[in-house]
């Protein structure tokens, strides 16, 4: 009999494929690397009212860990950075695929990078001279001489040149100093890299499609397209070729007229889910840029959770807060909380806690959420927890009591 999943079971497969079933008793640097290999991509974002997103994504999966482990792996060349879903940490084994993408890309911002460097040869020469003389370069190595203040939309020319060269794959980020990028020429950073080893475009796109599907547990073409921000038409074609070869398979999922696709490596998870044996039991605090969350359409379709990050929304128009984190309780999105870590005072402030409409909080949710919030706050060096607002006042009071 062909396999068929309910939507609840499909969620369980996604949670398992994303390494969220459990966390290790004690995390190691190897766990950081293994987790990124499982997800295939770790999105970078620098907002840090609590902590920067890549650290939050890792904490959800491995628990307390040393932040330096991530940048150590970058310096050890076990990871590299490039544009994927967005700017991301990626396994070094995937470098060839992204080198192919860099060489072939006709995206407007890539064309602009080439054009800008051609039109600013003096700036390019200054940056290249510094890179060759010092081996590495930071934006801070270059003094601003135009008298203007810096900013996101007003970067100094040398920083812009570094970013253009990085976009084109000519520079590799070999480390971070207080999370600021340290650049090196590709040939210096990866002396053993052979350009002759770059995979063909067809192989690259098929491989990334396979990895996207594997990371999602089960997937529609739209979900697979979004995972690495690929081109929809090419993803659809790749899925069909992979299905024809047996490299992907299909499974019926409740609520979808067409079968979803899955990677054979996940067949055991799907069989367990269909038999009712794959049951998530943990509560997770998720970054807004977690792979579970980042595809808002998938999040709505699979979890019935309408989520938007509001840091770019004017404060008076925010409904949930500047940087609200989704709460995954077992296999349901039950709410979100906006928080800030006041490290100087040792206080973790939950500025707003919102449970979803229809969620009837029970003792299990109270105790699980209290435990996770206490662990989360302690990891940030802010063990004192303050709850400022809860849309369910009774639950808020019970949660505060449980956290003491």
């Amino acid at each position: 009999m062909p396999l068929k999943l309910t939507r609840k079971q499909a969620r369980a497969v996604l949670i398992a494929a994303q390494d969220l079933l459990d966390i290790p008793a004690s995390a190691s640097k190897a766990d950081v690397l293994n987790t990124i290999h499982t997800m295939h991509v770790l999105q970078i974002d620098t907002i840090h009212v609590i902590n920067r997103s890549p650290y939050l994504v890792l904490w959800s999966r491995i628990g307390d860990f040393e932040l330096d482990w991530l940048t150590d792996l970058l310096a050890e060349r076990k990871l590299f950075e490039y544009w994927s879903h967005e700017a991301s940490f990626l396994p070094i084994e995937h470098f060839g695929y992204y080198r192919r993408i860099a060489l072939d890309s006709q995206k407007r911002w890539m064309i602009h990078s080439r054009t800008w460097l051609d039109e600013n040869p003096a700036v390019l020469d200054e940056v290249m001279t510094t890179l060759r003389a010092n081996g590495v370069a930071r934006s801070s190595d270059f003094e601003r001489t135009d008298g203007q203040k810096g900013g996101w939309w007003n970067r100094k020319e040398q920083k812009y040149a570094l970013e253009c060269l990085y976009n084109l794959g000519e520079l590799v980020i070999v480390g971070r100093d207080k999370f600021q990028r340290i650049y090196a020429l590709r040939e210096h950073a990866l002396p053993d890299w052979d350009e002759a080893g770059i995979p063909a475009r067809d192989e690259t796109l098929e491989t990334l499609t396979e990895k996207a599907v594997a990371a999602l547990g089960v997937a529609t073409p739209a979900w697979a397209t979004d995972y690495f921000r690929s081109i929809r038409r090419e993803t659809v074609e790749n899925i069909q070729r992979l299905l024809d070869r047996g490299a992907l398979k299909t499974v019926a999922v409740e609520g979808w007229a067409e079968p979803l696709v899955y990677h054979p490596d996940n067949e055991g998870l799907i069989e367990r889910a269909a038999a009712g044996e794959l049951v998530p039991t943990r509560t997770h605090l998720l970054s807004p840029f977690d792979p579970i969350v980042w595809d808002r359409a998938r999040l709505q379709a699979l979890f019935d959770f309408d989520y938007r990050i509001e840091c770019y929304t004017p404060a008076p128009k925010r409904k949930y807060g500047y940087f609200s984190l989704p709460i995954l309780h077992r296999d349901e999105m039950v709410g979100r909380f906006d928080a800030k870590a006041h490290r100087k005072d040792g206080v973790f402030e939950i500025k707003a806690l919102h449970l979803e409409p229809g969620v009837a909080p029970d003792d299990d949710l109270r105790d699980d959420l209290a435990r996770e919030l206490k662990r989360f706050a302690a990891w940030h060096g802010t063990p004192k927890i303050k709850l400022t607002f809860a849309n369910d006042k009774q639950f808020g009071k019970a949660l505060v009591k449980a956290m003491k």
Side-chain angles (χ1 to χ4, degrees):
M1 179 180 295
L3 287 173
K4 185 172 182 178
L5 299 177
T6 65
R7 192 168 66 148
K8 183 181 181 73
Q9 291 166 342
R11 293 199 297 263
V13 174
L14 168 63
I15 290 165
Q18 280 289 317
D19 207 14
L20 281 164
L21 282 184
D22 207 350
I23 61 172
S26 178
S28 67
K29 188 161 69 170
D31 290 319
V32 172
L33 186 60
N34 291 338
T35 298
I36 297 172
H37 272 277
T38 297
M39 298 184 297
H40 303 302
V41 56
L42 177 61
Q43 182 177 339
I44 299 169
D45 192 90
T46 57
I47 298 172
H48 58 289
V49 290
I50 307 171
N51 216 324
R52 292 183 173 91
S53 177
Y55 301 133
L56 302 181
V57 173
L58 291 169
W59 184 87
S60 295
R61 289 157 174 79
I62 66 174
D64 297 2
F65 72 98
E66 298 293 332
L67 302 188
D68 287 346
W69 289 345
L70 180 58
T71 45
D72 286 349
L73 290 166
L74 185 66
E76 294 165 10
R77 309 297 188 270
K78 294 179 180 177
L79 299 174
F80 72 104
E81 293 187 32
Y82 198 63
W83 297 101
S84 182
H85 181 81
E86 290 288 350
S88 303
F89 293 106
L90 301 156
I92 194 64
E93 292 83 358
H94 298 179
F95 182 81
Y97 303 127
Y98 289 92
R99 182 71 183 130
R100 169 55 62 198
I101 289 170
L103 291 173
D104 289 357
S105 179
Q106 294 300 312
K107 291 183 178 179
R108 185 168 57 183
W109 56 272
M110 290 286 278
I111 295 171
H112 172 77
S113 292
R114 298 184 189 103
T115 302
W116 192 93
L117 292 172
D118 288 343
E119 292 175 349
N120 294 272
V123 181
L124 175 60
D125 183 64
E126 179 187 1
V127 167
M128 293 297 288
T129 298
T130 299
L131 283 161
R132 292 187 180 114
N134 300 338
V136 298
R138 302 166 176 81
S139 173
S140 59
D141 293 338
F142 303 95
E143 183 178 352
R144 187 156 201 153
T145 58
D146 58 9
Q148 299 185 48
K149 292 183 178 180
W152 182 254
W153 300 111
N154 190 25
R155 288 165 284 185
K156 56 188 171 186
E157 290 182 320
Q158 297 89 343
K159 177 176 175 58
Y160 200 70
L162 288 168
E163 291 178 355
C164 287
L165 288 165
Y166 164 72
N167 290 343
L168 297 172
E170 299 305 321
L171 298 185
V172 172
I173 296 168
V174 294
R176 282 182 175 259
D177 182 8
K178 297 180 181 177
F179 218 71
Q180 299 303 304
R181 290 169 166 177
I182 302 172
Y183 300 87
L185 292 168
R186 187 184 66 255
E187 57 266 32
H188 291 168
L190 301 171
D192 297 329
W193 170 251
D194 183 356
E195 289 281 88
I198 301 173
R201 180 175 173 81
D202 288 351
E203 178 188 347
T204 292
L205 298 182
E206 283 191 11
T207 300
L208 291 179
T209 299
E210 271 192 273
K211 293 184 182 302
V213 172
L216 290 166
V218 295
T220 68
W223 300 352
T225 297
D226 178 80
Y227 202 77
F228 294 123
R229 294 284 168 86
S230 53
I231 297 171
R232 173 67 180 268
R233 173 184 52 79
E234 292 179 328
T235 303
V236 170
E237 293 171 353
N238 286 328
I239 286 175
Q240 189 56 58
R241 281 194 289 268
L242 291 164
L243 286 169
D244 292 343
R245 293 207 306 266
L248 294 179
K249 297 183 177 183
T250 62
V251 60
V253 178
E254 172 193 24
W256 278 267
E258 298 294 326
L260 274 64
V261 295
Y262 70 90
H263 194 280
D265 286 353
N266 287 332
E267 192 156 71
L269 293 177
I270 290 171
E271 290 173 345
R272 286 173 59 200
E277 298 170 356
L278 188 66
V279 181
T281 59
R282 293 195 62 91
T283 296
H284 293 285
L285 313 177
L286 301 178
S287 163
F289 305 107
D290 192 290
I292 291 276
V293 173
W294 69 34
D295 184 340
R296 311 306 191 209
R298 169 167 50 83
L299 191 62
Q300 177 75 65
L302 203 53
F303 289 89
D304 195 24
F305 188 61
D306 184 13
Y307 177 77
R308 298 290 183 275
I309 187 169
E310 297 180 313
C311 57
Y312 307 112
T313 301
K317 295 184 178 181
R318 290 176 193 146
K319 183 177 179 181
Y320 298 108
Y322 179 82
F323 192 74
S324 64
L325 280 70
I327 301 168
L328 174 63
H329 178 58
R330 300 178 182 175
D331 61 4
E332 295 182 352
M333 295 290 181
V334 297
R336 66 200 87 193
F337 70 102
D338 184 43
K340 182 175 178 63
H342 302 278
R343 288 178 173 80
K344 186 178 295 186
D345 302 320
V347 174
F348 187 84
E349 181 187 3
I350 302 170
K351 300 168 76 173
L353 170 66
H354 288 88
L355 295 182
E356 283 293 281
V359 170
D362 57 15
D363 291 351
D364 286 340
L365 175 57
R366 179 201 62 202
D367 293 344
D368 288 356
L369 184 55
R371 182 183 62 249
E372 290 306 300
L373 286 169
K374 287 172 67 177
R375 290 198 317 111
F376 197 52
W379 182 58
H380 285 97
T382 52
K384 300 175 185 176
I385 302 177
K386 174 186 176 183
L387 176 61
T388 303
F389 169 82
N391 69 338
D392 184 324
K393 292 182 180 179
Q394 185 175 351
F395 180 73
K397 290 178 181 178
L399 182 66
V400 169
K401 187 176 180 179
M403 290 189 293
K404 288 182 178 178

